[in-house]
Amino acid sequence: MVQKYGGTSVGSVDRIHNVAARAVAAQAAGNEVVLIVSAMAGETNRLLDLARRVTELPDRRELDVIAATGEQVSSALVAMAIQSQGGKARSFLGHQLKIRTDSAFTSARILAIDAEALRQSLKHGSIAVVAGFQGVDDAGNITTLGRGGSDTSAVAVAAAIRADVCEIYTDVDGVYTADPNVCPGARKIERISYEEMLELAALGAKVLQRRSVEVAMKYGVPIHVRSSFSDAPGTWVVGEEAGLESVVVTGVTSDKSEARVMLVAVEDRPGVVATIFGALAAENISVDMIIQNASSDATGRTDVTFTAAKSELDRVDKVVQAVAEQVGAREVRFERDIAKVSIVGLGMRSHAGVAARMFDILFREGINIQAIATSEIKVSCIVAAKYAELAVRALHDGFGLDRPTTTG
Ligand code: ADP
Ligand code: ASP
Ligand code: MG
């Protein structure tokens, strides 16, 4: 089995000993155990802040060299703790396991893992303690997998060694109908489909990194999200099957990590959006929602709005300013104080009127909707950032998510 422990779970010497004890117990119960560990709580933020105090726009390759050290420390500490408790353990860094990634520094993707080293370690009765979040590219550079990336390390390792289960130990005891730290009425979900978990993760529920769910879905790895502070069963993330709750809306989530960018009064002619988004793509900048109005009058001009990660805004600014003149934009506006609130559920496929109900719930709270996006199993609205928590609670209530549902 693979067990992944997040930052809070390895946040102190006592907690590191707790992790070691759990791993030793799991091994004593007859399992071959691979641990993936995150950096100690707060450490990755500390390291990245340090870099930004040296220079405003740090080089991404060097950022990864710094950020990866957090997991190097915790993997060694956990291995030592296991040894001190009489167990056998050995730490592994990304390059030692040949966790090969592409070269997209700060958000690299895993290409392959050399499972042989792990198998050897397991064969000798040793617990392998793998540093999460990090890998190595073909040129030997250290890479990291994006914030929350240890989840993805864990699922990828589980897939590589064909583990029976990938347990994700964190500071909540499962996946809830909304972030329990935001929504007091949130309820633990027993089983959730990969599809729904993927949307929740992509739309802001940071309990699992989005890519970890993608990898789990691709390789059919069952994920069990649970608490490192108790033995209570958590949430199983599994393929679509009977036993999933039959509800229209499974979860509500919000995301404040994006900003809105508006190119005002660009020319309404072929090639304008191609120019704007081509330039962004050339810089490897992902955009999320895109809204373009039809030009409403004879001016032949329209507004193009999109959202992108706040952390990319400096780069977005450069690119957009460079094309603004070319597309005839009168002005470029940035709005950072926004949040995306979303509802997710497989049941939406077969129910009409879900979006309308969402708009009505937000309206009743006096919350203005700035943009909307829908797909088969989700609806997202952009609202003012100050309303994010209120919107989550209102939607959670409005869709009755605090009430237990029938299963099967
Ligand atoms: P770790 O450090 O263990 O990786 P994270 O902080 O990345 O932990 O993820 C756990 C956090 O995710 C919880 O503390 C909770 O606030 C947040 N969260 C957001 N949405 C949800 C949800 N739907 N269910 C459970 N937790 C959620
Ligand atoms: N330490 C990394 C982060 O804080 C990776 C992780 O915790 O999953 O983002
Ligand atoms: Mg996390």
Side-chain angles (χ1 to χ4, degrees), residues 15-34:
R15 287 181 177 179
I16 283 174
H17 273 293
N18 170 52
V19 166
R22 293 188 82 110
V24 169
Q27 191 188 39
N31 298 293
E32 292 181 317
V33 183
V34 176

Side-chain angles (χ1 to χ4, degrees), residues 79-408:
M80 286 174 198
I82 293 171
Q83 291 158 0
S84 78
Q85 293 179 22
K88 270 169 85 175
R90 191 172 165 182
S91 66
F92 292 93
L93 300 183
H95 71 87
Q96 293 172 317
L97 277 191
K98 301 188 186 63
I99 300 187
R100 263 186 54 232
T101 70
D102 62 19
S103 304
F105 297 116
T106 75
S107 59
R109 273 177 193 274
I110 296 178
L111 303 174
I113 294 179
D114 177 12
E116 199 39 45
L118 281 177
R119 289 217 185 84
Q120 286 302 324
S121 172
L122 293 174
K123 217 165 69 191
H124 292 103
S126 178
I127 296 173
V129 188
V130 179
F133 185 48
Q134 53 175 266
V136 62
D137 74 2
D138 281 339
N141 296 304
I142 294 173
T143 55
T144 68
L145 309 179
R147 298 309 305 269
S150 297
D151 297 330
T152 304
S153 308
V155 176
V157 165
I161 62 170
R162 299 199 175 77
D164 297 332
V165 57
C166 181
E167 295 187 325
I168 303 282
Y169 285 92
T170 182
D171 56 0
V172 286
D173 57 2
V175 178
Y176 278 67
T177 47
D179 186 341
N181 291 315
V182 167
C183 187
R187 209 167 38 78
K188 189 168 83 183
I189 301 168
E190 270 175 46
R191 296 172 88 78
I192 187 170
S193 67
Y194 291 127
E195 287 84 352
E196 289 166 306
M197 192 62 236
L198 189 59
E199 290 287 3
L200 284 176
L203 296 169
K206 69 168 182 163
V207 61
L208 286 175
Q209 196 199 33
R210 166 195 194 149
R211 280 186 191 161
S212 71
V213 188
E214 287 170 6
V215 177
M217 189 152 122
K218 184 165 171 196
Y219 295 98
V221 178
I223 299 179
H224 187 187
V225 180
R226 51 194 308 196
S227 165
S228 56
F229 306 115
S230 87
D231 286 321
T235 300
W236 285 88
V237 187
V238 292
E240 257 181 76
E241 54 169 47
L244 293 174
E245 296 187 0
S246 51
V247 291
V248 178
V249 175
T250 303
V252 184
T253 184
S254 70
D255 182 359
K256 289 186 187 161
S257 70
E258 291 181 2
R260 202 183 63 202
V261 184
M262 187 174 185
L263 285 87
V264 181
V266 301
E267 292 159 17
D268 192 9
R269 59 167 169 81
V272 163
V273 287
T275 302
I276 299 168
F277 295 103
L280 290 162
E283 288 298 316
N284 240 319
I285 297 171
S286 308
V287 302
D288 182 25
M289 292 172 157
I290 299 175
I291 302 133
Q292 190 203 290
N293 305 323
S295 49
S296 54
D297 51 28
T299 59
R301 293 189 174 262
T302 184
D303 302 331
V304 172
T305 304
F306 64 92
T307 61
K310 279 180 190 160
S311 59
E312 301 267 42
L313 226 45
D314 289 335
R315 299 202 305 139
V316 171
D317 190 22
K318 264 196 202 155
V319 173
V320 172
Q321 299 296 351
V323 296
E325 201 176 326
Q326 215 179 322
V327 298
R330 294 222 176 98
E331 190 192 335
V332 182
R333 285 188 206 147
F334 292 90
E335 175 58 84
R336 301 177 69 95
D337 289 329
I338 60 160
K340 181 166 63 179
V341 291
S342 309
I343 55 173
V344 172
L346 285 181
M348 278 183 217
R349 283 181 191 152
S350 48
H351 283 78
V354 180
R357 210 161 130 202
M358 177 177 191
F359 305 153
D360 188 57
I361 292 167
L362 295 176
F363 157 66
R364 279 166 201 284
E365 296 294 334
I367 300 173
N368 189 38
I369 299 170
Q370 303 178 10
I372 301 159
T374 66
S375 79
E376 214 186 9
I377 64 165
K378 69 124 199 268
V379 185
S380 299
C381 295
I382 299 285
V383 302
K386 64 181 175 191
Y387 293 132
E389 288 78 20
L390 172 64
V392 167
R393 287 194 287 266
L395 291 167
H396 194 269
D397 246 33
F399 282 101
L401 296 193
D402 44 348
R403 291 189 294 274
T405 50
T406 51
T407 54

Side-chain angles (χ1 to χ4, degrees), residues 4-11 36-41 43-44 70-75 78 130-133 148-151 169:
K4 177 259 172 177
Y5 291 92
T8 323
S9 305
V10 294
I36 313 290
V37 292
S38 288
M40 294 171 75
E43 182 63 7
T44 309
E71 273 73 10
Q72 174 161 352
V73 169
S74 53
S75 60
V78 169
V130 179
F133 185 48
S150 297
D151 297 330
Y169 285 92

